Amino acid sequence: MAKASRRQRHGATRRLEARGGGWRSRRGFDAWLDRLVSGAVLTALLVGVLALFVTLIWG
């Protein structure tokens, strides 16, 4: 038990960098996915603001 207590654990899951191989190929996909999500969020915000203005002006 003393051996286990000396070992430091940083989290329940392994990080992708720790595996060594596959994280570089996912970097481009993650950046693309981040842009896609950002675009979807901005589109939703613009549609919401436009709907609010239409409702306030003509509603």
Side-chain angles (χ1 to χ4, degrees), residues 6-55:
R6 282 187 290 195
R7 216 169 91 194
Q8 290 185 352
R9 298 183 71 186
H10 294 287
T13 58
R14 291 184 182 178
R15 296 177 187 235
L16 291 174
E17 294 88 9
R19 282 193 231 165
W23 68 274
R24 287 187 182 166
S25 63
R26 295 191 60 158
R27 179 180 287 171
F29 176 74
D30 287 342
W32 176 81
L33 189 61
D34 284 341
R35 287 187 184 140
L36 182 69
V37 169
S38 296
V41 168
L42 285 174
T43 302
L45 285 173
L46 288 173
V47 168
V49 168
L50 183 64
L52 178 64
F53 283 148
V54 167
T55 302

